[in-house]
Amino acid sequence: MAEDPQNISDMSFEEALRALQQVVRQLEDGEVPLDQSIALYERGEKLRAACQARLDAAQARIEAIVLDAKGQPSGTKPFDGSE
């Protein structure tokens, strides 16, 4: 396994997602010894958590456009995902 020396917290979302996809491919190939598979799985979980945190943060920043009674934009409100 070629360990990516880049710290996960320093990665962009896209870099972390690509690294996670690489981990999944390596695990699916089944050619990695058990100890390395465990290390890959642990790194994959950290990458998944980092991606999810970035997605959650992005969702929290999204604002929904509020329309008035005439259907015209009248402002914004925080997106809460319940609509």
Side-chain angles (χ1 to χ4, degrees):
M1 163 184 79
E3 181 69 25
D4 185 352
Q6 187 174 12
N7 189 340
I8 292 170
S9 63
D10 294 335
M11 292 179 168
S12 69
F13 173 80
E14 292 78 12
E15 290 170 330
L17 186 57
R18 277 192 299 275
L20 179 56
Q21 290 167 336
Q22 181 180 5
V23 165
V24 170
R25 277 192 300 275
Q26 288 179 290
L27 289 172
E28 287 178 344
D29 285 346
E31 299 296 322
V32 181
L34 180 60
D35 288 341
Q36 288 180 339
S37 292
I38 292 169
L40 272 172
Y41 180 85
E42 290 171 343
R43 179 163 175 81
E45 180 55 29
K46 290 175 185 175
L47 287 161
R48 185 212 57 80
C51 287
Q52 186 64 53
R54 298 233 174 96
L55 287 172
D56 291 345
Q59 182 177 2
R61 293 178 57 196
I62 294 172
E63 293 183 328
I65 296 173
V66 178
L67 302 178
D68 63 18
K70 296 179 184 177
Q72 299 298 314
S74 64
T76 62
K77 68 176 180 176
F79 177 78
D80 65 8
S82 64
E83 296 174 17

